[in-house]
Amino acid sequence: RPDSMLCPATGCRPDSMLCPATGCRPDSMLCLAAGCRPDSMLCPAPGCQAMEHQRARLATEIEAAALLVYNSARMKEQGIPFVKEAAMAKWYSSEVACHVSSRCVEIMGGVGFIKDNPVEKFYRDSKIGQIYEGPSNIQLNTIAKCMDAERKLSK
């Protein structure tokens, strides 16, 4: 690609799926909290170490949740029993979504609560997702029952 196709502020391609500052999709809450604007792809250069550590922790949680989802999907495709893994993925993903969106609201300060801000919508959506997609306690019950069944089979 010619250099003229790159964003002058970040050096990223406009159609790039990852933000170079955060390593996340430009429309994700982590990227929004880091100050990226999806409409212009302006991402801040790395700077404050404390903020970088927070973003790194949140990105790691998001990646771990994604890997749980991918693993349960792989197990389903291969015909391996996957109920426990799917419940783990669902529970952990909803917990991560709430934690990350809550942290992003905190990172953004008062602006994070403004109704026009996408981070506020991510936060509301993650909370309602916990309720509608099966409360966390039900997922934990499913995981515990599967673990008990596995333990009984191994005896």
Side-chain angles (χ1 to χ4, degrees):
R1 277 200 154 167
D3 288 339
S4 63
M5 295 298 290
L6 300 178
C7 172
T10 63
C12 63
R13 292 191 318 266
D15 62 346
S16 172
M17 290 302 292
L18 296 179
C19 166
T22 61
C24 60
R25 287 185 23 209
D27 61 343
S28 74
M29 56 193 145
L30 184 59
C31 196
L32 290 167
C36 298
R37 291 181 45 213
D39 57 337
S40 65
M41 291 295 292
L42 295 178
C43 302
C48 178
Q49 188 178 35
M51 291 303 294
E52 289 175 353
H53 289 182
Q54 286 186 45
R55 288 195 323 253
R57 283 188 182 107
L58 297 177
T60 302
E61 289 181 27
I62 292 168
E63 183 68 18
L67 291 173
L68 282 170
V69 171
Y70 295 148
N71 184 52
S72 61
R74 177 192 57 81
M75 291 175 76
K76 180 180 180 353
E77 286 179 351
Q78 293 179 351
I80 301 170
F82 66 97
V83 173
K84 179 182 80 173
E85 288 76 8
M88 287 176 167
K90 196 171 187 179
W91 172 77
Y92 190 68
S93 296
S94 69
E95 293 293 313
V96 166
C98 279
H99 177 252
V100 170
S101 61
S102 174
R103 294 293 299 153
C104 290
V105 167
E106 291 171 17
I107 289 169
M108 295 189 77
V111 176
F113 280 111
I114 295 173
K115 191 87 165 161
D116 294 336
N117 193 316
V119 173
E120 184 267 343
K121 183 180 181 338
F122 279 126
Y123 181 70
R124 279 188 294 119
D125 290 349
S126 68
K127 286 306 280 181
I128 202 70
Q130 275 189 327
I131 296 165
Y132 284 139
E133 297 297 325
S136 292
N137 289 339
I138 293 173
Q139 298 305 322
L140 293 173
N141 287 345
T142 301
I143 295 166
K145 286 178 185 176
C146 290
M147 289 172 60
D148 289 342
E150 288 174 355
R151 186 176 47 84
K152 288 176 185 174
L153 286 175
S154 66
K155 286 185 178 182

